[in-house]
Amino acid sequence: MSFPIVRHRRLRQSTGMRNMVRETVLNVNDLIMPIFVTYGQGVKNEISSMPGIYHFSLDTLKAEVDEIVDLGIPAVLLFGIPETKDSVGTSGFVENGIVQEATRLIKKWYPHLLVVADTCLCEFTDHGHCGMVHTFEVDGQVHGDVMNDESLELLTKTAVSQAKAGADIIAPSNMMDGFVQAIRAGLDEAGFEHVPIMSYSVKYASAFYGPFREAADSAPQFGDRKTYQMDPANAREALREAETDVLEGADMLMVKPALAYMDVIRTLKDQFDLPLVAYNVSGEYSMVKAAAQQGWINEKAIVQEMLTGMKRAGADIIITYFAKDAAGWMQER
C-alpha cells in the first residue's frame, strides 16, 4: 500500500502523538559529567576554549558536585592537573594524587555518585604522552618512541591507586596494546575484581581534542599520538580494537570522539553486547558553544539533537560537557 492510504504524517500530528511513538529517548541516567580537578585554594577558573567548564581546586569542588547530584546525573569522570610532572607520570599513581584525593572527597560527600577515573599518564608526564617514552635527538630535534609494554606497569599502578581511593569505574584512555588485560590483572590481584573497566577501546587521533589539551595541560611536547591512537580513516580497525578489549576483560566499550564516528558507534553496537559509551569531546562542545555565542544556532535544540543522535546510533552512555545543561533541560521538560 502507498499514498493516499499510507500517510506517515498521521503519527506526527501532536506533541502527545510524537512522544508516544518516539523511538529514542535521552535520559539523565545516560549522562556522565567530566570534571577537571587541580591543586591550590579557591580555584574555579574557566577554561578559555571551553566556556562554562572550569578547573576546580578541592575546596571549590563540592559546589560543582552538589549541582551535578541535584540534577540527577549519576556519574562524573575525573581528570587531574598535578602540581608536578616527570617522565613517568608519578603524580598519576601516588596515594595523594589529585584524582585520588578528589575521589575520596566525592565518595565521602555522595557515596552513591559514581566516580569514573580516567586512567592515563598524559596529564602527569612532562612530555605529554600517554606512556613511558624513549627520547633521542635527530639534527638537534627531540624525538621519542612511546614504549608499549613498559608503560603497562605504570598504567596498572595508576588504576590500582584510583580503585584504592574509591573509584567505582576505571576508564583507561591510553590506547597501549594489552592495557585492558594488564589493568584487569592488576585490579584483581589487588582485590578489586568488582571494579569494572570502561575501556577507551576505539580512540581516534582526532583534531577534536584541541580544547581538552588546554584543559588538561596535556599537549605532547614532541611528535603526536598517531602511533597509538587510531587513524580517523579506519572503521574495520575499530572492530579489531574492540574485540581485543572484550577478550581481555573490558566491561564497557567506548568510541571517542562521537560526532564524526556515528558509523563506528553503530558498528560496535551491532557486533558486541557490552554497554557502549560515546564521548562527546571538547572540540564538539566548543564548536557548539562558539556558534551559540555568535547567535548562529539554537544551543539547546542543537545539543538535544546531537546527544539524541549519539544514542540513536547505539550509545548506552554519553560522556559530555553538556551533561549539566542537558539534565537541566530534562527537568524543565
PDB file of all heavy atoms in Angstrom, residues 15-53:
ATOM      1  N   THR A  15       2.072  16.816  19.911  1.00  0.00           N
ATOM      2  CA  THR A  15       3.182  16.504  20.817  1.00  0.00           C
ATOM      3  C   THR A  15       2.961  15.156  21.486  1.00  0.00           C
ATOM      4  O   THR A  15       3.880  14.337  21.603  1.00  0.00           O
ATOM      5  CB  THR A  15       3.322  17.608  21.881  1.00  0.00           C
ATOM      6  OG1 THR A  15       3.592  18.852  21.241  1.00  0.00           O
ATOM      7  CG2 THR A  15       4.436  17.286  22.856  1.00  0.00           C
ATOM      8  N   GLY A  16       1.745  14.911  21.941  1.00  0.00           N
ATOM      9  CA  GLY A  16       1.442  13.637  22.596  1.00  0.00           C
ATOM     10  C   GLY A  16       1.664  12.460  21.676  1.00  0.00           C
ATOM     11  O   GLY A  16       2.220  11.429  22.079  1.00  0.00           O
ATOM     12  N   MET A  17       1.244  12.583  20.411  1.00  0.00           N
ATOM     13  CA  MET A  17       1.443  11.506  19.445  1.00  0.00           C
ATOM     14  C   MET A  17       2.920  11.275  19.196  1.00  0.00           C
ATOM     15  O   MET A  17       3.396  10.130  19.172  1.00  0.00           O
ATOM     16  CB  MET A  17       0.735  11.839  18.134  1.00  0.00           C
ATOM     17  CG  MET A  17       0.771  10.721  17.097  1.00  0.00           C
ATOM     18  SD  MET A  17      -0.301   9.340  17.546  1.00  0.00           S
ATOM     19  CE  MET A  17      -1.908  10.075  17.189  1.00  0.00           C
ATOM     20  N   ARG A  18       3.670  12.366  19.003  1.00  0.00           N
ATOM     21  CA  ARG A  18       5.117  12.225  18.740  1.00  0.00           C
ATOM     22  C   ARG A  18       5.828  11.601  19.942  1.00  0.00           C
ATOM     23  O   ARG A  18       6.717  10.759  19.777  1.00  0.00           O
ATOM     24  CB  ARG A  18       5.721  13.592  18.391  1.00  0.00           C
ATOM     25  CG  ARG A  18       5.260  14.126  17.039  1.00  0.00           C
ATOM     26  CD  ARG A  18       6.053  15.348  16.618  1.00  0.00           C
ATOM     27  NE  ARG A  18       5.872  16.478  17.529  1.00  0.00           N
ATOM     28  CZ  ARG A  18       4.917  17.396  17.432  1.00  0.00           C
ATOM     29  NH1 ARG A  18       4.014  17.297  16.455  1.00  0.00           N
ATOM     30  NH2 ARG A  18       4.853  18.408  18.280  1.00  0.00           N
ATOM     31  N   ASN A  19       5.425  12.004  21.148  1.00  0.00           N
ATOM     32  CA  ASN A  19       6.044  11.425  22.345  1.00  0.00           C
ATOM     33  C   ASN A  19       5.760   9.929  22.445  1.00  0.00           C
ATOM     34  O   ASN A  19       6.616   9.141  22.850  1.00  0.00           O
ATOM     35  CB  ASN A  19       5.516  12.123  23.604  1.00  0.00           C
ATOM     36  CG  ASN A  19       6.059  13.535  23.770  1.00  0.00           C
ATOM     37  OD1 ASN A  19       7.053  13.899  23.148  1.00  0.00           O
ATOM     38  ND2 ASN A  19       5.414  14.327  24.608  1.00  0.00           N
ATOM     39  N   MET A  20       4.546   9.520  22.084  1.00  0.00           N
ATOM     40  CA  MET A  20       4.139   8.132  22.231  1.00  0.00           C
ATOM     41  C   MET A  20       4.906   7.206  21.295  1.00  0.00           C
ATOM     42  O   MET A  20       5.244   6.074  21.653  1.00  0.00           O
ATOM     43  CB  MET A  20       2.638   7.988  21.990  1.00  0.00           C
ATOM     44  CG  MET A  20       2.097   6.586  22.260  1.00  0.00           C
ATOM     45  SD  MET A  20       0.295   6.521  22.231  1.00  0.00           S
ATOM     46  CE  MET A  20      -0.029   6.883  20.507  1.00  0.00           C
ATOM     47  N   VAL A  21       5.226   7.681  20.083  1.00  0.00           N
ATOM     48  CA  VAL A  21       5.866   6.810  19.104  1.00  0.00           C
ATOM     49  C   VAL A  21       7.374   7.062  18.987  1.00  0.00           C
ATOM     50  O   VAL A  21       8.028   6.477  18.133  1.00  0.00           O
ATOM     51  CB  VAL A  21       5.210   6.964  17.709  1.00  0.00           C
ATOM     52  CG1 VAL A  21       3.729   6.614  17.776  1.00  0.00           C
ATOM     53  CG2 VAL A  21       5.409   8.374  17.156  1.00  0.00           C
ATOM     54  N   ARG A  22       7.911   7.920  19.869  1.00  0.00           N
ATOM     55  CA  ARG A  22       9.333   8.244  19.790  1.00  0.00           C
ATOM     56  C   ARG A  22      10.181   6.997  20.017  1.00  0.00           C
ATOM     57  O   ARG A  22       9.993   6.246  20.978  1.00  0.00           O
ATOM     58  CB  ARG A  22       9.679   9.324  20.819  1.00  0.00           C
ATOM     59  CG  ARG A  22      11.138   9.779  20.770  1.00  0.00           C
ATOM     60  CD  ARG A  22      11.323  11.098  21.494  1.00  0.00           C
ATOM     61  NE  ARG A  22      10.657  12.170  20.760  1.00  0.00           N
ATOM     62  CZ  ARG A  22       9.823  13.052  21.331  1.00  0.00           C
ATOM     63  NH1 ARG A  22       9.545  12.970  22.626  1.00  0.00           N
ATOM     64  NH2 ARG A  22       9.273  13.996  20.594  1.00  0.00           N
ATOM     65  N   GLU A  23      11.131   6.765  19.135  1.00  0.00           N
ATOM     66  CA  GLU A  23      11.953   5.556  19.181  1.00  0.00           C
ATOM     67  C   GLU A  23      13.154   5.678  20.114  1.00  0.00           C
ATOM     68  O   GLU A  23      13.620   4.685  20.681  1.00  0.00           O
ATOM     69  CB  GLU A  23      12.461   5.227  17.773  1.00  0.00           C
ATOM     70  CG  GLU A  23      11.353   4.963  16.763  1.00  0.00           C
ATOM     71  CD  GLU A  23      11.895   4.824  15.353  1.00  0.00           C
ATOM     72  OE1 GLU A  23      13.100   4.595  15.203  1.00  0.00           O
ATOM     73  OE2 GLU A  23      11.113   4.950  14.394  1.00  0.00           O
ATOM     74  N   THR A  24      13.709   6.869  20.251  1.00  0.00           N
ATOM     75  CA  THR A  24      14.916   7.076  21.039  1.00  0.00           C
ATOM     76  C   THR A  24      14.665   8.174  22.054  1.00  0.00           C
ATOM     77  O   THR A  24      14.235   9.269  21.694  1.00  0.00           O
ATOM     78  CB  THR A  24      16.103   7.481  20.136  1.00  0.00           C
ATOM     79  OG1 THR A  24      16.275   6.490  19.118  1.00  0.00           O
ATOM     80  CG2 THR A  24      17.378   7.614  20.948  1.00  0.00           C
ATOM     81  N   VAL A  25      14.920   7.882  23.323  1.00  0.00           N
ATOM     82  CA  VAL A  25      14.685   8.849  24.390  1.00  0.00           C
ATOM     83  C   VAL A  25      15.969   9.036  25.180  1.00  0.00           C
ATOM     84  O   VAL A  25      16.567   8.068  25.657  1.00  0.00           O
ATOM     85  CB  VAL A  25      13.554   8.394  25.328  1.00  0.00           C
ATOM     86  CG1 VAL A  25      13.368   9.401  26.463  1.00  0.00           C
ATOM     87  CG2 VAL A  25      12.252   8.223  24.553  1.00  0.00           C
ATOM     88  N   LEU A  26      16.408  10.276  25.303  1.00  0.00           N
ATOM     89  CA  LEU A  26      17.583  10.609  26.105  1.00  0.00           C
ATOM     90  C   LEU A  26      17.155  10.761  27.554  1.00  0.00           C
ATOM     91  O   LEU A  26      16.201  11.482  27.856  1.00  0.00           O
ATOM     92  CB  LEU A  26      18.207  11.898  25.590  1.00  0.00           C
ATOM     93  CG  LEU A  26      19.555  12.304  26.191  1.00  0.00           C
ATOM     94  CD1 LEU A  26      20.642  11.319  25.779  1.00  0.00           C
ATOM     95  CD2 LEU A  26      19.927  13.719  25.741  1.00  0.00           C
ATOM     96  N   ASN A  27      17.887  10.092  28.457  1.00  0.00           N
ATOM     97  CA  ASN A  27      17.546  10.075  29.875  1.00  0.00           C
ATOM     98  C   ASN A  27      18.736  10.578  30.679  1.00  0.00           C
ATOM     99  O   ASN A  27      19.888  10.386  30.276  1.00  0.00           O
ATOM    100  CB  ASN A  27      17.176   8.641  30.284  1.00  0.00           C
ATOM    101  CG  ASN A  27      16.662   8.551  31.692  1.00  0.00           C
ATOM    102  OD1 ASN A  27      17.418   8.586  32.662  1.00  0.00           O
ATOM    103  ND2 ASN A  27      15.355   8.413  31.824  1.00  0.00           N
ATOM    104  N   VAL A  28      18.473  11.203  31.819  1.00  0.00           N
ATOM    105  CA  VAL A  28      19.574  11.715  32.636  1.00  0.00           C
ATOM    106  C   VAL A  28      20.520  10.607  33.067  1.00  0.00           C
ATOM    107  O   VAL A  28      21.729  10.837  33.263  1.00  0.00           O
ATOM    108  CB  VAL A  28      19.023  12.491  33.863  1.00  0.00           C
ATOM    109  CG1 VAL A  28      18.366  11.540  34.862  1.00  0.00           C
ATOM    110  CG2 VAL A  28      20.123  13.309  34.527  1.00  0.00           C
ATOM    111  N   ASN A  29      20.019   9.393  33.201  1.00  0.00           N
ATOM    112  CA  ASN A  29      20.871   8.272  33.600  1.00  0.00           C
ATOM    113  C   ASN A  29      21.851   7.853  32.517  1.00  0.00           C
ATOM    114  O   ASN A  29      22.730   7.032  32.755  1.00  0.00           O
ATOM    115  CB  ASN A  29      20.011   7.071  34.008  1.00  0.00           C
ATOM    116  CG  ASN A  29      19.295   7.301  35.314  1.00  0.00           C
ATOM    117  OD1 ASN A  29      19.850   7.862  36.251  1.00  0.00           O
ATOM    118  ND2 ASN A  29      18.045   6.870  35.394  1.00  0.00           N
ATOM    119  N   ASP A  30      21.690   8.428  31.308  1.00  0.00           N
ATOM    120  CA  ASP A  30      22.626   8.137  30.221  1.00  0.00           C
ATOM    121  C   ASP A  30      23.902   8.967  30.316  1.00  0.00           C
ATOM    122  O   ASP A  30      24.848   8.728  29.562  1.00  0.00           O
ATOM    123  CB  ASP A  30      21.979   8.446  28.857  1.00  0.00           C
ATOM    124  CG  ASP A  30      20.685   7.688  28.627  1.00  0.00           C
ATOM    125  OD1 ASP A  30      20.570   6.562  29.123  1.00  0.00           O
ATOM    126  OD2 ASP A  30      19.797   8.234  27.937  1.00  0.00           O
ATOM    127  N   LEU A  31      23.954   9.971  31.214  1.00  0.00           N
ATOM    128  CA  LEU A  31      24.969  11.016  31.146  1.00  0.00           C
ATOM    129  C   LEU A  31      26.081  10.856  32.179  1.00  0.00           C
ATOM    130  O   LEU A  31      25.833  10.439  33.318  1.00  0.00           O
ATOM    131  CB  LEU A  31      24.308  12.383  31.343  1.00  0.00           C
ATOM    132  CG  LEU A  31      23.171  12.737  30.385  1.00  0.00           C
ATOM    133  CD1 LEU A  31      22.563  14.068  30.773  1.00  0.00           C
ATOM    134  CD2 LEU A  31      23.663  12.748  28.943  1.00  0.00           C
ATOM    135  N   ILE A  32      27.298  11.224  31.773  1.00  0.00           N
ATOM    136  CA  ILE A  32      28.444  11.347  32.674  1.00  0.00           C
ATOM    137  C   ILE A  32      29.034  12.738  32.474  1.00  0.00           C
ATOM    138  O   ILE A  32      29.278  13.163  31.342  1.00  0.00           O
ATOM    139  CB  ILE A  32      29.510  10.276  32.393  1.00  0.00           C
ATOM    140  CG1 ILE A  32      28.952   8.871  32.649  1.00  0.00           C
ATOM    141  CG2 ILE A  32      30.765  10.511  33.253  1.00  0.00           C
ATOM    142  CD1 ILE A  32      29.928   7.750  32.309  1.00  0.00           C
ATOM    143  N   MET A  33      29.290  13.441  33.578  1.00  0.00           N
ATOM    144  CA  MET A  33      29.838  14.798  33.517  1.00  0.00           C
ATOM    145  C   MET A  33      31.326  14.783  33.836  1.00  0.00           C
ATOM    146  O   MET A  33      31.724  14.360  34.920  1.00  0.00           O
ATOM    147  CB  MET A  33      29.103  15.701  34.527  1.00  0.00           C
ATOM    148  CG  MET A  33      29.622  17.126  34.559  1.00  0.00           C
ATOM    149  SD  MET A  33      29.230  18.027  33.030  1.00  0.00           S
ATOM    150  CE  MET A  33      30.311  19.458  33.201  1.00  0.00           C
ATOM    151  N   PRO A  34      32.184  15.233  32.913  1.00  0.00           N
ATOM    152  CA  PRO A  34      33.615  15.331  33.216  1.00  0.00           C
ATOM    153  C   PRO A  34      33.901  16.509  34.157  1.00  0.00           C
ATOM    154  O   PRO A  34      33.239  17.547  34.104  1.00  0.00           O
ATOM    155  CB  PRO A  34      34.258  15.582  31.850  1.00  0.00           C
ATOM    156  CG  PRO A  34      33.191  15.262  30.838  1.00  0.00           C
ATOM    157  CD  PRO A  34      31.893  15.567  31.522  1.00  0.00           C
ATOM    158  N   ILE A  35      34.918  16.330  35.024  1.00  0.00           N
ATOM    159  CA  ILE A  35      35.362  17.384  35.932  1.00  0.00           C
ATOM    160  C   ILE A  35      36.887  17.439  35.901  1.00  0.00           C
ATOM    161  O   ILE A  35      37.558  16.400  35.942  1.00  0.00           O
ATOM    162  CB  ILE A  35      34.899  17.127  37.383  1.00  0.00           C
ATOM    163  CG1 ILE A  35      33.377  17.033  37.472  1.00  0.00           C
ATOM    164  CG2 ILE A  35      35.402  18.227  38.313  1.00  0.00           C
ATOM    165  CD1 ILE A  35      32.878  16.735  38.891  1.00  0.00           C
ATOM    166  N   PHE A  36      37.429  18.659  35.877  1.00  0.00           N
ATOM    167  CA  PHE A  36      38.877  18.867  35.942  1.00  0.00           C
ATOM    168  C   PHE A  36      39.237  19.377  37.337  1.00  0.00           C
ATOM    169  O   PHE A  36      38.756  20.438  37.757  1.00  0.00           O
ATOM    170  CB  PHE A  36      39.316  19.888  34.889  1.00  0.00           C
ATOM    171  CG  PHE A  36      39.091  19.433  33.477  1.00  0.00           C
ATOM    172  CD1 PHE A  36      37.938  19.788  32.787  1.00  0.00           C
ATOM    173  CD2 PHE A  36      40.029  18.638  32.828  1.00  0.00           C
ATOM    174  CE1 PHE A  36      37.722  19.374  31.484  1.00  0.00           C
ATOM    175  CE2 PHE A  36      39.823  18.207  31.523  1.00  0.00           C
ATOM    176  CZ  PHE A  36      38.669  18.578  30.857  1.00  0.00           C
ATOM    177  N   VAL A  37      40.069  18.613  38.047  1.00  0.00           N
ATOM    178  CA  VAL A  37      40.464  18.988  39.403  1.00  0.00           C
ATOM    179  C   VAL A  37      41.951  19.332  39.425  1.00  0.00           C
ATOM    180  O   VAL A  37      42.755  18.731  38.704  1.00  0.00           O
ATOM    181  CB  VAL A  37      40.152  17.868  40.416  1.00  0.00           C
ATOM    182  CG1 VAL A  37      38.654  17.743  40.618  1.00  0.00           C
ATOM    183  CG2 VAL A  37      40.724  16.528  39.977  1.00  0.00           C
ATOM    184  N   THR A  38      42.288  20.296  40.289  1.00  0.00           N
ATOM    185  CA  THR A  38      43.666  20.756  40.342  1.00  0.00           C
ATOM    186  C   THR A  38      44.023  21.144  41.765  1.00  0.00           C
ATOM    187  O   THR A  38      43.160  21.196  42.658  1.00  0.00           O
ATOM    188  CB  THR A  38      43.896  21.940  39.383  1.00  0.00           C
ATOM    189  OG1 THR A  38      45.283  22.227  39.298  1.00  0.00           O
ATOM    190  CG2 THR A  38      43.137  23.177  39.838  1.00  0.00           C
ATOM    191  N   TYR A  39      45.292  21.450  42.000  1.00  0.00           N
ATOM    192  CA  TYR A  39      45.761  21.878  43.312  1.00  0.00           C
ATOM    193  C   TYR A  39      45.526  23.373  43.500  1.00  0.00           C
ATOM    194  O   TYR A  39      45.205  24.103  42.562  1.00  0.00           O
ATOM    195  CB  TYR A  39      47.248  21.550  43.464  1.00  0.00           C
ATOM    196  CG  TYR A  39      47.499  20.081  43.708  1.00  0.00           C
ATOM    197  CD1 TYR A  39      47.852  19.232  42.664  1.00  0.00           C
ATOM    198  CD2 TYR A  39      47.359  19.545  44.988  1.00  0.00           C
ATOM    199  CE1 TYR A  39      48.078  17.883  42.890  1.00  0.00           C
ATOM    200  CE2 TYR A  39      47.578  18.204  45.217  1.00  0.00           C
ATOM    201  CZ  TYR A  39      47.939  17.372  44.172  1.00  0.00           C
ATOM    202  OH  TYR A  39      48.160  16.041  44.402  1.00  0.00           O
ATOM    203  N   GLY A  40      45.698  23.824  44.738  1.00  0.00           N
ATOM    204  CA  GLY A  40      45.548  25.229  45.064  1.00  0.00           C
ATOM    205  C   GLY A  40      44.374  25.460  45.990  1.00  0.00           C
ATOM    206  O   GLY A  40      43.722  24.521  46.467  1.00  0.00           O
ATOM    207  N   GLN A  41      44.091  26.729  46.246  1.00  0.00           N
ATOM    208  CA  GLN A  41      42.994  27.137  47.108  1.00  0.00           C
ATOM    209  C   GLN A  41      42.110  28.128  46.371  1.00  0.00           C
ATOM    210  O   GLN A  41      42.592  29.041  45.702  1.00  0.00           O
ATOM    211  CB  GLN A  41      43.538  27.791  48.383  1.00  0.00           C
ATOM    212  CG  GLN A  41      44.314  26.842  49.295  1.00  0.00           C
ATOM    213  CD  GLN A  41      43.400  25.857  50.003  1.00  0.00           C
ATOM    214  OE1 GLN A  41      42.299  26.221  50.428  1.00  0.00           O
ATOM    215  NE2 GLN A  41      43.842  24.625  50.141  1.00  0.00           N
ATOM    216  N   GLY A  42      40.817  27.929  46.503  1.00  0.00           N
ATOM    217  CA  GLY A  42      39.876  28.868  45.921  1.00  0.00           C
ATOM    218  C   GLY A  42      39.875  28.917  44.410  1.00  0.00           C
ATOM    219  O   GLY A  42      39.462  29.917  43.815  1.00  0.00           O
ATOM    220  N   VAL A  43      40.309  27.829  43.766  1.00  0.00           N
ATOM    221  CA  VAL A  43      40.411  27.819  42.306  1.00  0.00           C
ATOM    222  C   VAL A  43      39.082  27.412  41.681  1.00  0.00           C
ATOM    223  O   VAL A  43      38.550  26.340  41.950  1.00  0.00           O
ATOM    224  CB  VAL A  43      41.524  26.866  41.829  1.00  0.00           C
ATOM    225  CG1 VAL A  43      41.561  26.811  40.300  1.00  0.00           C
ATOM    226  CG2 VAL A  43      42.876  27.280  42.385  1.00  0.00           C
ATOM    227  N   LYS A  44      38.537  28.310  40.878  1.00  0.00           N
ATOM    228  CA  LYS A  44      37.445  27.992  39.957  1.00  0.00           C
ATOM    229  C   LYS A  44      37.695  28.838  38.720  1.00  0.00           C
ATOM    230  O   LYS A  44      37.167  29.944  38.576  1.00  0.00           O
ATOM    231  CB  LYS A  44      36.070  28.272  40.545  1.00  0.00           C
ATOM    232  CG  LYS A  44      34.931  27.852  39.609  1.00  0.00           C
ATOM    233  CD  LYS A  44      33.548  28.223  40.134  1.00  0.00           C
ATOM    234  CE  LYS A  44      32.475  27.848  39.117  1.00  0.00           C
ATOM    235  NZ  LYS A  44      31.106  28.244  39.560  1.00  0.00           N
ATOM    236  N   ASN A  45      38.529  28.324  37.847  1.00  0.00           N
ATOM    237  CA  ASN A  45      38.983  29.072  36.687  1.00  0.00           C
ATOM    238  C   ASN A  45      38.348  28.512  35.417  1.00  0.00           C
ATOM    239  O   ASN A  45      38.514  27.325  35.107  1.00  0.00           O
ATOM    240  CB  ASN A  45      40.506  29.012  36.565  1.00  0.00           C
ATOM    241  CG  ASN A  45      41.195  29.672  37.744  1.00  0.00           C
ATOM    242  OD1 ASN A  45      40.654  30.588  38.364  1.00  0.00           O
ATOM    243  ND2 ASN A  45      42.392  29.210  38.070  1.00  0.00           N
ATOM    244  N   GLU A  46      37.649  29.364  34.691  1.00  0.00           N
ATOM    245  CA  GLU A  46      37.022  28.921  33.451  1.00  0.00           C
ATOM    246  C   GLU A  46      38.089  28.625  32.403  1.00  0.00           C
ATOM    247  O   GLU A  46      39.057  29.380  32.247  1.00  0.00           O
ATOM    248  CB  GLU A  46      36.061  29.973  32.923  1.00  0.00           C
ATOM    249  CG  GLU A  46      35.214  29.495  31.745  1.00  0.00           C
ATOM    250  CD  GLU A  46      34.133  30.488  31.360  1.00  0.00           C
ATOM    251  OE1 GLU A  46      34.394  31.699  31.456  1.00  0.00           O
ATOM    252  OE2 GLU A  46      33.042  30.050  30.975  1.00  0.00           O
ATOM    253  N   ILE A  47      37.910  27.539  31.685  1.00  0.00           N
ATOM    254  CA  ILE A  47      38.826  27.152  30.611  1.00  0.00           C
ATOM    255  C   ILE A  47      38.458  27.972  29.380  1.00  0.00           C
ATOM    256  O   ILE A  47      37.311  27.922  28.908  1.00  0.00           O
ATOM    257  CB  ILE A  47      38.724  25.637  30.348  1.00  0.00           C
ATOM    258  CG1 ILE A  47      39.120  24.866  31.619  1.00  0.00           C
ATOM    259  CG2 ILE A  47      39.598  25.227  29.163  1.00  0.00           C
ATOM    260  CD1 ILE A  47      38.649  23.429  31.645  1.00  0.00           C
ATOM    261  N   SER A  48      39.406  28.752  28.872  1.00  0.00           N
ATOM    262  CA  SER A  48      39.089  29.759  27.863  1.00  0.00           C
ATOM    263  C   SER A  48      38.457  29.167  26.610  1.00  0.00           C
ATOM    264  O   SER A  48      37.573  29.785  25.999  1.00  0.00           O
ATOM    265  CB  SER A  48      40.343  30.547  27.495  1.00  0.00           C
ATOM    266  OG  SER A  48      41.325  29.705  26.918  1.00  0.00           O
ATOM    267  N   SER A  49      38.883  27.981  26.209  1.00  0.00           N
ATOM    268  CA  SER A  49      38.361  27.370  24.987  1.00  0.00           C
ATOM    269  C   SER A  49      37.132  26.496  25.224  1.00  0.00           C
ATOM    270  O   SER A  49      36.586  25.926  24.287  1.00  0.00           O
ATOM    271  CB  SER A  49      39.453  26.527  24.316  1.00  0.00           C
ATOM    272  OG  SER A  49      39.910  25.516  25.199  1.00  0.00           O
ATOM    273  N   MET A  50      36.687  26.417  26.500  1.00  0.00           N
ATOM    274  CA  MET A  50      35.522  25.599  26.844  1.00  0.00           C
ATOM    275  C   MET A  50      34.604  26.411  27.768  1.00  0.00           C
ATOM    276  O   MET A  50      34.569  26.179  28.983  1.00  0.00           O
ATOM    277  CB  MET A  50      35.950  24.279  27.503  1.00  0.00           C
ATOM    278  CG  MET A  50      36.813  23.400  26.626  1.00  0.00           C
ATOM    279  SD  MET A  50      37.323  21.868  27.450  1.00  0.00           S
ATOM    280  CE  MET A  50      35.764  20.991  27.555  1.00  0.00           C
ATOM    281  N   PRO A  51      33.871  27.376  27.251  1.00  0.00           N
ATOM    282  CA  PRO A  51      33.017  28.216  28.094  1.00  0.00           C
ATOM    283  C   PRO A  51      32.084  27.382  28.970  1.00  0.00           C
ATOM    284  O   PRO A  51      31.434  26.447  28.497  1.00  0.00           O
ATOM    285  CB  PRO A  51      32.220  29.039  27.074  1.00  0.00           C
ATOM    286  CG  PRO A  51      33.070  29.043  25.845  1.00  0.00           C
ATOM    287  CD  PRO A  51      33.759  27.707  25.817  1.00  0.00           C
ATOM    288  N   GLY A  52      32.059  27.722  30.258  1.00  0.00           N
ATOM    289  CA  GLY A  52      31.196  27.002  31.188  1.00  0.00           C
ATOM    290  C   GLY A  52      31.846  25.816  31.857  1.00  0.00           C
ATOM    291  O   GLY A  52      31.239  25.200  32.750  1.00  0.00           O
ATOM    292  N   ILE A  53      33.071  25.484  31.473  1.00  0.00           N
ATOM    293  CA  ILE A  53      33.814  24.376  32.080  1.00  0.00           C
ATOM    294  C   ILE A  53      35.001  24.970  32.840  1.00  0.00           C
ATOM    295  O   ILE A  53      35.684  25.867  32.340  1.00  0.00           O
ATOM    296  CB  ILE A  53      34.291  23.368  31.021  1.00  0.00           C
ATOM    297  CG1 ILE A  53      33.097  22.863  30.204  1.00  0.00           C
ATOM    298  CG2 ILE A  53      35.026  22.202  31.684  1.00  0.00           C
ATOM    299  CD1 ILE A  53      32.035  22.129  31.007  1.00  0.00           C
TER     300      ILE A  53
END
